[in-house]
Amino acid sequence: MPVTAYDLTGRTAFVTGAASGIGRASALLLAEAGATVHCADLDTAGLHETAGQIKDGGGTAHIHPLDVTDRSDLRQAVTSCTRLNVLAAIAGIMHNSPVLETRDEDLDRVMSVNFKGVLYACQEAARLMIARGSRGSIVTMASGAVDTGGPGLLCYGAAKAAVVQLTKTLATEVGRYGIRVNAVAPGWIRTPMTERPDDEAQARYEAVMARMSPLGRVGDPEDIAHTVLYLASDASSFTTGQIVRPNGGVAMPW
């Protein structure tokens, strides 16, 4: 496959969670590949920073301050795109609590952001792609938690497992329109969402996570952004309904 298969010149991407972490890294890389990038997030200051970096690099960016759990705002932002070729539904939150201590409000909040927010984005993006006859790629964000589990991961893991099912189901329904749907299931990635209370605690935790990987390190947002670019581009033109696992080898499911 020629390198030009990764060229997104003339295409439009919509990225949720674009204010920081994996979302920001993905927005920057999609822009570097030539896409016009629409950046969505609750963090307005972070959105401006991401958009500024894209523009400083010669790219084109638009910002949409919004809550992905608000279907109306999300619909308005997505439909504001003249055309849409790529959705990267990355916005998410972390919650950790033992099963026996999990409250209804904890589960509801995590499912609202990590599953419903992805569902709403997928629905609006797919409808727009179909209505405008745009062949496209939808990339969702799952997690290594769907393969490994772990103490305290009930809410987060359940929401990400739902994203996996959404990805596979949607792929079977929109493939006939030339729309591909795939999920990324990262391992432990160094982002604001995984930060510990202080540098010492961070270093200890990263050391534990690194020992779990055959590669001997934790991941960076850019590691995941390259997977998002692959799935967004023509380089993955025969890939749909798949869960791609850039996890450093921590989990190796069949």
Side-chain angles (χ1 to χ4, degrees):
M1 182 71 71
V3 175
T4 52
Y6 291 88
D7 185 5
L8 299 180
T9 301
R11 302 188 195 185
T12 300
F14 192 98
V15 181
T16 70
S20 64
I22 294 171
R24 171 177 287 176
S26 298
L28 293 174
L29 192 59
L30 292 170
E32 186 178 339
T36 293
V37 182
H38 289 253
C39 304
D41 204 294
L42 266 176
D43 179 1
T44 302
L47 280 180
H48 280 288
E49 187 174 344
T50 299
Q53 290 182 31
I54 289 173
K55 292 173 183 177
D56 287 346
T60 302
H62 305 277
I63 65 168
H64 303 276
L66 58 82
D67 183 341
V68 293
T69 67
D70 188 321
R71 184 193 290 273
S72 177
D73 280 357
L74 194 52
R75 178 183 299 121
Q76 184 175 1
V78 170
T79 56
S80 72
C81 301
T82 304
R83 61 182 301 190
L84 184 62
N85 308 98
V86 176
L87 167 69
I90 299 174
I93 59 173
M94 176 62 79
H95 176 79
N96 192 297
S97 66
V99 172
L100 300 185
E101 298 175 16
T102 297
R103 303 171 300 173
D104 286 352
E105 53 265 38
D106 298 330
L107 181 59
D108 290 346
R109 177 59 180 161
V110 176
M111 290 298 290
S112 289
V113 177
N114 291 5
F115 174 61
K116 286 186 177 180
V118 177
L119 171 63
Y120 297 163
C122 287
Q123 288 176 323
E124 298 306 328
R127 286 169 180 153
L128 185 62
M129 289 175 182
I130 292 169
R132 299 186 180 172
S134 301
R135 297 174 65 86
S137 173
I138 293 174
V139 183
T140 64
M141 195 58 54
S143 168
V146 303
D147 296 316
T148 60
L153 288 176
L154 170 65
C155 297
Y156 184 78
K160 294 301 187 178
V163 168
V164 168
Q165 186 59 43
L166 164 64
T167 300
K168 293 179 178 181
T169 302
L170 186 60
T172 67
E173 295 176 351
V174 299
R176 61 196 172 106
Y177 299 105
I179 301 170
R180 297 179 296 105
V181 190
N182 295 283
V184 181
W188 198 90
I189 307 300
R190 187 184 290 113
T191 72
M193 198 165 72
T194 59
E195 286 180 353
R196 269 25 201 183
D198 54 64
D199 291 344
E200 184 178 349
Q202 183 76 16
R204 285 199 307 269
Y205 194 69
E206 287 193 15
V208 171
M209 295 296 103
R211 285 196 296 271
M212 295 173 63
S213 167
L215 299 179
R217 71 175 180 91
V218 299
D220 291 309
E222 292 73 21
D223 293 315
I224 310 308
H226 282 280
T227 304
V228 172
L229 174 60
Y230 164 70
L231 293 173
S233 73
D234 291 343
S236 60
S237 62
F238 196 53
T239 302
T240 197
Q242 302 304 306
I243 314 304
V244 183
R245 295 173 166 87
N247 61 23
V250 172
M252 303 180 187
W254 288 93

